[in-house]
């Protein structure tokens, strides 16, 4: 079965960067896009961006342009989300989620990674 | 600020049907049949329950159904059960080659 296993919780100071990983298994890695969605405490879901592991093309929400870097390592079926210049407003649970190529929905979800930003 | 609009909360008694609306624009909900719905229980990841407006993934109860008219999509939960108490989010693909979510609707089973 499809599984997305994310890296553990992170505590960062303002201005720092965080890198969250998402290891996929149970399917052909290049058949699905991987999106990143975050959820601030008590808030709703927010789409951040997407990477296509087949060709490494990425697209990010305008809000995160210049601050989010999405990469993938096909040798270990893992996608990474790097978020820089952190502020307290980046405190959230970060999820990776799959989209079957161009199905326009988020089918499988990782367990979430808590990122806390505090001085 | 979310691009899609949902009611903050909806409630119903067991066995009843409820409807959650999701209103967007001609640039997202109205542009494609790419509306999906997610159920999220506290402390867990969201779960896809409806995709492409009205399709159910394997294993999702047929008590969940979806529809769309113009710029507004709807999620209908029939035969409401205690386990349906959760937050529900709609999402749409957009003309900007991006995705937007609604703010979420808290469903309470009375």
């Amino acid at each position: 079965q499809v599984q997305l296993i994310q890296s553990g919780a992170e505590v960062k100071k303002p201005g720092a960067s965080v890198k969250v990983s998402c290891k996929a298994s149970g399917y052909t890695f290049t058949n699905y896009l991987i999106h990143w969605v975050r959820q601030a405490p008590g808030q709703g879901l927010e789409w951040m961006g997407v990477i296509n592991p087949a060709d490494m093309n990425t697209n990010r929400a305008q809000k995160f342009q210049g601050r989010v870097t999405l990469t993938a390592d096909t040798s270990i079926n893992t996608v990474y989300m790097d978020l820089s210049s952190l502020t307290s407003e980046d405190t959230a649970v970060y999820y990776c989620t799959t989209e079957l190529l161009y199905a326009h929905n988020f089918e499988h979800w990782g367990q979430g990674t808590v990122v806390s930003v505090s001085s | 600020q979310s691009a899609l609009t949902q009611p903050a909360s909806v409630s119903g008694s067991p066995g009843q049907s409820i409807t959650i609306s999701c209103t967007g624009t001609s640039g997202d909900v109205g542009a494609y049949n790419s509306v999906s719905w997610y159920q999220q229980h506290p402390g867990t990841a969201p779960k896809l329950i409806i995709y492409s407006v009205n399709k159910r993934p394997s294993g999702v109860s047929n008590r969940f159904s979806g529809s769309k008219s113009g710029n507004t999509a709807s999620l209908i939960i029939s035969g409401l059960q205690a386990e349906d108490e959760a937050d529900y989010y709609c999402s749409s693909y957009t003309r900007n080659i991006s995705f937007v979510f609604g703010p979420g609707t808290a469903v309470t089973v009375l």
Side-chain angles (χ1 to χ4, degrees), chain B residues 56-109:
Chain B
R56 274 188 313 276
S58 174
V60 172
S61 171
N62 59 9
R63 297 185 299 102
F64 294 96
S65 61
S67 65
K68 191 186 86 166
S69 177
N71 297 336
T72 298
S74 297
L75 173 70
I76 304 97
I77 309 176
S78 58
L80 199 61
Q81 299 181 0
E83 67 205 51
D84 300 332
E85 191 158 292
D87 293 328
Y88 292 82
Y89 295 90
C90 62
S91 174
S92 176
Y93 183 67
T94 84
R95 289 191 188 277
N96 294 329
I97 318 177
S98 64
F99 288 83
V100 292
F101 286 95
T105 297
V107 168
T108 302
V109 181

Side-chain angles (χ1 to χ4, degrees), chain A residues 35 39 47 59 104 106 109, chain B residues 34 38 40 46 89 97-99:
Chain A
H35 295 258
Q39 186 170 36
W47 181 77
N59 186 29
H104 297 161
F106 309 115
W109 293 72
Chain B
S34 295
Y38 303 85
Q40 186 179 36
Y89 295 90
I97 318 177
S98 64
F99 288 83

Side-chain angles (χ1 to χ4, degrees), chain A:
Chain A
Q1 74 282 18
V2 174
Q3 275 196 305
L4 300 175
I5 304 298
Q6 299 182 222
S7 49
E10 302 266 10
V11 179
K12 296 292 183 181
K13 293 198 181 300
S17 297
V18 67
K19 191 168 189 174
V20 180
S21 68
C22 171
K23 183 172 177 59
S25 62
Y27 69 96
T28 301
F29 187 55
T30 51
N31 282 358
Y32 283 81
L33 309 178
I34 299 282
H35 295 258
W36 289 88
V37 174
R38 76 178 186 179
Q39 186 170 36
Q43 302 300 309
L45 303 172
E46 181 176 31
W47 181 77
M48 299 180 67
V50 59
I51 184 168
N52 183 348
D55 58 17
M56 303 300 177
N57 278 341
T58 63
N59 186 29
R60 289 150 292 178
Q62 189 169 8
K63 173 178 180 177
F64 298 103
Q65 295 280 356
R67 256 201 336 131
V68 165
T69 302
L70 303 179
T71 56
D73 185 338
T74 56
S75 69
I76 55 172
N77 288 2
T78 299
V79 170
Y80 302 92
M81 186 280 296
D82 198 318
L83 183 61
S84 62
S85 302
L86 293 169
T87 72
S88 59
E89 296 190 349
D90 294 315
T91 293
V93 178
Y94 290 76
Y95 293 102
C96 60
T97 176
T98 66
E99 176 195 356
L100 184 63
L101 287 176
Y102 311 118
H104 297 161
N105 61 69
F106 309 115
E107 185 174 355
H108 308 104
W109 293 72
Q111 83 276 20
T113 295
V114 176
V115 175
S116 299
V117 183
S118 174
S119 55

Side-chain angles (χ1 to χ4, degrees), chain B residues 11-54:
Chain B
S11 61
S13 300
Q16 286 187 329
S17 293
I18 61 170
T19 299
I20 302 171
S21 61
C22 171
T23 301
T25 69
S26 57
D28 39 64
V29 173
Y32 308 98
N33 285 328
S34 295
V35 175
S36 51
W37 290 89
Y38 303 85
Q39 177 192 61
Q40 186 179 36
H41 289 106
T44 69
K47 174 188 175 184
L48 176 66
I49 57 173
I50 293 289
Y51 67 96
S52 299
V53 174
N54 57 13

